[in-house]
Amino acid sequence: MSCFGKVGTNISGLNGALVVGSKAKGAVGLPSSSGSLSFGESEKTKFPALRIDFMGKQLVLSDKRALGDWSVKAPSGFSLRAQASICVSRAMRWWEKTLQPNMVEINSAQELVDSLLNAGDRLVVVDFYSPGCGGCKALHPKICQLAESNPGAIFLKVNYEELRTMCQCLHIHVLPFFRFYRGSEGRLCSFSCTNATIKKFKDAMAKYGVERCSIGPAKGLDDSELVKLAEFGEIPRDLRRLPVPTGNMVMTSLEKSGSEKRAVTRMETEDKSPLIIV
């Protein structure tokens, strides 16, 4: 039998593994306990070949086209399993390049909520992007330059592919997309822009980047967004931080629970469903 695998293919058989290819072109690697390697020419094809004593069996790998596919031949009864893997080079991770100290990668919805609440009166720019978005990639260097020239602002980067559910709860439907927040004012503006419309981003920085004090704690995400994130399990349902539905007061009374009495307030919410607050 024979099977074919390109450089970088992982082939395992019996109790060992054969790896064809490495960082060096044409390199072949084997576990030290698998067997021995020898180079020469195939007796039948007269092409460059690699002979491998693998777990007591002999394999012959011949390069029929010098730079073409490797042909792997094994004795009958010898089984092979081929598995290919794709690895993204760090050189291709454009969203990690030229980051400034005030640019922070967000890894969860809770981290986004906390970052906005802890920002105080500082301007916060939330940058929603995707690694596969060409517009995001082209705009990234300019956003880094703006972050460098505005060290008092905080730039939070949100990877749409990794936090898709959170982004959908926040109604992010186009990329690249930006949201501006500051202190108790909460969200100041939101928009999408590209390299061609970068003036929109610069105008927002000029308008909202001026330092100013706001009365009260930072607001962060809207109440409806917090409720949505809690419904989808992106953040814990904490009644001290989530908004209480509005409605008409019905009655307050003392009710007995076991040996204790407690005050219970019943409300009728806007959707007419009862809400009990203990």
Side-chain angles (χ1 to χ4, degrees):
M1 64 169 270
S2 64
C3 82
F4 297 86
K6 291 183 180 295
V7 171
T9 302
N10 177 35
I11 305 174
S12 61
L14 295 181
N15 297 320
L18 166 66
V19 180
V20 182
S22 67
K23 292 183 179 179
K25 293 185 178 180
V28 178
L30 281 173
S32 59
S33 60
S34 298
S36 59
L37 304 175
S38 61
F39 293 87
E41 289 187 350
S42 172
E43 296 178 357
K44 294 183 178 180
T45 63
K46 300 302 181 182
F47 285 99
L50 174 66
R51 294 182 179 84
I52 306 171
D53 292 325
F54 182 68
M55 305 296 291
K57 306 284 185 177
Q58 186 179 69
L59 302 180
V60 178
L61 281 72
S62 61
D63 185 2
K64 294 183 178 180
R65 293 175 298 176
L67 296 176
D69 294 343
W70 286 89
S71 173
V72 183
K73 297 182 179 181
S76 59
F78 185 82
S79 63
L80 294 175
R81 184 179 69 247
Q83 178 182 353
S85 60
I86 299 176
C87 196
V88 178
S89 169
R90 293 196 66 82
M92 297 175 62
R93 298 171 70 90
W94 57 264
W95 58 95
E96 295 180 351
K97 293 183 176 180
T98 63
L99 293 180
Q100 301 302 313
N102 58 335
M103 301 182 77
V104 181
E105 186 74 23
I106 295 299
N107 298 303
S108 68
Q110 187 63 60
E111 188 175 341
L112 175 62
V113 172
D114 293 340
S115 297
L116 290 172
L117 294 178
N118 295 331
D121 287 328
R122 296 179 68 182
L123 177 66
V124 180
V125 179
V126 184
D127 174 6
F128 297 89
Y129 72 95
S130 171
C133 171
C136 301
K137 180 179 180 180
L139 192 60
H140 177 71
K142 291 187 177 180
I143 299 301
C144 292
Q145 291 175 2
L146 288 167
E148 183 179 15
S149 60
N150 293 273
I154 302 173
F155 288 71
L156 304 180
K157 297 182 62 62
V158 177
N159 188 329
Y160 182 91
E161 301 304 327
E162 293 184 356
L163 299 172
R164 184 181 295 267
T165 300
M166 183 195 79
C167 292
Q168 291 174 349
C169 289
L170 300 181
H171 306 291
I172 307 301
H173 303 299
V174 61
L175 297 173
F177 196 81
F178 302 92
R179 283 187 174 185
F180 284 56
Y181 295 83
R182 184 189 282 277
S184 60
E185 299 176 69
R187 191 200 309 178
L188 302 171
C189 66
S190 57
F191 55 87
S192 176
C193 76
T194 62
N195 260 336
T197 57
I198 187 64
K199 185 177 183 300
K200 188 187 301 185
F201 191 101
K202 293 179 178 179
D203 289 344
M205 289 297 302
K207 181 178 181 179
Y208 300 113
V210 180
E211 291 187 7
R212 55 189 177 186
C213 296
S214 57
I215 300 175
K219 181 180 177 181
L221 298 180
D222 294 339
D223 291 345
S224 60
E225 294 173 333
L226 291 173
V227 172
K228 195 74 171 178
L229 290 171
E231 287 178 354
F232 280 82
E234 292 294 299
I235 61 174
R237 183 176 288 276
D238 187 346
L239 295 179
R240 291 172 299 176
R241 297 176 66 178
L242 294 181
V244 176
T246 58
N248 300 319
M249 189 75 69
V250 177
M251 62 176 291
T252 300
S253 62
L254 289 176
E255 293 187 359
K256 188 174 183 180
S257 175
S259 60
E260 298 180 354
K261 288 185 178 181
R262 58 182 180 175
V264 175
T265 300
R266 284 183 169 81
M267 296 179 63
E268 188 179 77
T269 61
E270 291 177 344
D271 62 357
K272 304 302 181 183
S273 60
L275 172 67
I276 300 176
I277 303 175
V278 179

